[in-house]
């Protein structure tokens, strides 16, 4: 029996994962950043015990713990840098092994989520798989020939920082025009606010949904208005999906995976996101004439992908 831990900036969530990649017990505690790395490792150990208890499994029967963490993780299980957790050359693998006596594996959290989706979710176990997660930023993971692409420093798969607009918006990473400045959930909200600011006559139905206060705009506002055939909301979504399709066509051109899944809350908007995305990528992909084509679909595991993927590291 294995435990997968999703170590996030807000919560540390652990799950006991069985041989069928099902979570059979779980627990969660607050991360309470900023804290010393040793204390965070204490919490990882504690939440693992709690998950085993929840599953009704003696802790001795847990053979290994897999951890998904923000930041780049090197071959020794050292998190070289994570701004979310305040980690700087943090030997997370060793810190948790010392506290649990278990074999520990550590990998980047987005890579764990990709592994989880590949093996137990929308990937159906195909050997070439790309996962794209639209959230505050854009996370990603690439699996080719059943092997997770980690790169020379563990930082491979940072697809959110692929530039799609050379003279575009500034990104905190230091570059201009990164994918996540245009196609993350955060970007959608910003684009909706921009559209409302230009809508001086208040023609959009979004105004009613936000009580005329632009600070209340969320991703849901845009989709709720789209359901009411609001033209401005539909235009915002169309432009957003245009940006999204640009980045995703790039990924497909480079990797040609069997399946590419799109996750994050807004990926559930199939009619407004996945369907037009497939149509737009169709026109952009280099391999228009190939018989075999990448299938694009929504992720299916939600937040559990990270826990299940972390447990898969232990196999
Ligand atoms: Zn960037």
């Amino acid at each position: 029996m294995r435990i997968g831990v999703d170590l996030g900036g807000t919560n540390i969530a652990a799950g006991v994962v069985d041989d069928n990649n099902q979570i059979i017990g779980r627990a969660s505690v607050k991360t309470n950043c900023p804290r010393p790395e040793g204390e965070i490792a204490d919490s990882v150990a504690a939440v693992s015990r709690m998950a085993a208890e929840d599953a009704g499994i003696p802790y001795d029967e847990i053979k290994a713990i897999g951890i998904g963490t923000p930041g780049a993780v090197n071959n020794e299980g050292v998190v070289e840098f994570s701004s979310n957790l305040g980690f700087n050359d943090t030997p997370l693998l060793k810190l948790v092994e010392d506290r649990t006596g278990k074999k520990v594996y550590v990998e980047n959290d987005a890579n764990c989520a990709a592994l989880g989706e590949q093996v137990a979710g929308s990937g159906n176990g195909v050997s070439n798989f790309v996962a794209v997660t639209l959230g505050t930023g854009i996370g990603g993971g690439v699996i080719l020939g059943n092997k997770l692409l980690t790169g020379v420093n563990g930082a491979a798969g940072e697809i959110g920082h692929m530039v799609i607009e050379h003279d575009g918006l500034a990104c905190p990473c230091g570059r201009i025009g990164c994918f996540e400045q245009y196609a993350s959930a955060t970007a959608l909200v910003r684009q909706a606010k921009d559209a409302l600011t230009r809508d001086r006559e208040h023609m959009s139905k979004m105004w009613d949904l936000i009580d005329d206060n632009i600070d209340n705009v969320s991703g849901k506002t845009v989709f709720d208005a789209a359901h009411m055939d609001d033209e401005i909301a539909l235009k915002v979504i169309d432009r957003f999906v245009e940006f999204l399709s640009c980045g995703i066509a790039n990924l497909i051109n480079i990797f040609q995976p069997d399946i590419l899944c799109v996750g994050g809350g807004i990926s559930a908007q199939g009619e407004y996101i996945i369907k037009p995305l497939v149509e737009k990528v169709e026109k952009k992909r280099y391999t228009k004439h190939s018989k075999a084509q990448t299938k694009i679909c929504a992720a299916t595991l939600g937040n559990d992908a990270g826990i299940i993927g972390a447990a898969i590291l232990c196999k």
Side-chain angles (χ1 to χ4, degrees):
M1 212 63 84
R2 306 156 289 161
I3 286 180
V5 177
D6 185 2
L7 172 53
T10 311
N11 293 301
I12 308 173
V16 178
V17 177
D18 70 10
D19 291 339
N20 298 317
N21 296 311
Q22 301 292 315
I23 298 176
I24 58 167
R26 55 174 87 221
S28 171
V29 295
K30 292 270 175 238
T31 315
N32 286 328
C33 282
R35 272 200 299 163
E37 56 193 32
E39 283 186 22
I40 293 178
D42 289 341
S43 291
V44 170
V47 78
S48 299
R49 279 186 178 279
M50 288 157 63
E53 233 165 76
D54 185 56
I57 305 257
Y59 196 55
D60 288 348
E61 286 183 21
I62 304 296
K63 298 290 173 239
I65 299 173
I67 305 170
T69 171
V73 183
N74 72 17
N75 288 336
E76 278 86 53
V78 175
V79 185
E80 295 192 341
F81 179 76
S82 166
S83 55
N84 290 3
L85 298 172
F87 284 175
N88 220 326
D89 279 329
T90 296
L92 187 61
L93 186 151
K94 187 171 185 313
L95 290 172
V96 178
E97 274 192 351
D98 287 350
R99 284 160 173 78
T100 59
K102 312 285 184 195
K103 179 91 182 122
V104 173
Y105 301 82
V106 185
E107 182 51 75
N108 169 268
D109 52 0
N111 285 347
C112 285
L115 267 182
E117 278 291 335
Q118 181 225 358
V119 174
S122 57
N124 277 322
V126 295
S127 49
N128 304 297
F129 184 74
V130 174
V132 178
T133 306
L134 313 178
T136 311
I138 297 183
V142 177
I143 292 148
L144 292 178
N146 265 323
K147 201 168 172 339
L148 183 67
L149 203 65
T150 53
V152 65
N153 46 21
E158 286 291 343
I159 62 174
H161 300 285
M162 151 177 69
V163 168
I164 64 163
E165 282 275 3
H166 193 261
D167 290 319
L169 299 164
C171 182
C173 79
R175 296 185 80 192
I176 302 288
C178 287
F179 188 29
E180 70 176 36
Q181 297 303 320
Y182 293 87
S184 59
T186 313
L188 175 67
V189 169
R190 187 174 56 228
Q191 289 157 14
K193 286 181 177 175
D194 289 349
L196 288 173
T197 306
R198 287 192 300 269
D199 175 30
R200 295 213 173 84
E201 316 286 311
H202 283 217
M203 304 289 280
S204 173
K205 289 172 181 143
M206 285 190 279
W207 288 111
D208 294 333
L209 297 171
I210 57 173
D211 292 330
D212 280 326
N213 180 353
I214 205 157
D215 294 334
N216 293 336
V217 175
S218 69
K220 188 173 183 300
T221 313
V222 187
F223 294 110
D224 285 351
H227 276 290
M228 296 185 271
D229 291 324
D230 180 61
E231 251 179 61
I232 291 177
L234 288 168
K235 261 191 199 155
V236 166
I237 294 172
D238 183 67
R239 188 161 168 273
F240 173 82
V241 177
E242 193 62 43
F243 287 126
L244 182 60
S245 70
C246 174
I248 286 187
N250 290 349
L251 294 170
I252 291 177
N253 284 349
I254 296 167
F255 298 116
Q256 302 294 344
D258 299 279
I259 295 178
L260 180 146
C261 83
V262 182
I266 59 179
S267 68
Q269 301 284 346
E271 186 189 340
Y272 295 109
I273 297 288
I274 303 293
K275 187 166 168 274
L277 174 65
V278 169
E279 288 166 7
K280 286 181 193 288
V281 170
E282 201 62 47
K283 294 184 191 133
K284 292 186 171 78
R285 66 170 119 210
Y286 175 72
T287 52
K288 289 184 189 75
H289 305 293
S290 296
K291 287 200 180 67
Q293 297 284 2
T294 299
K295 182 185 160 209
I296 299 172
C297 63
T300 57
L301 295 180
N303 292 332
D304 287 348
I307 291 176
I308 295 171
I312 288 169
L313 296 175
C314 309
K315 274 200 165 164

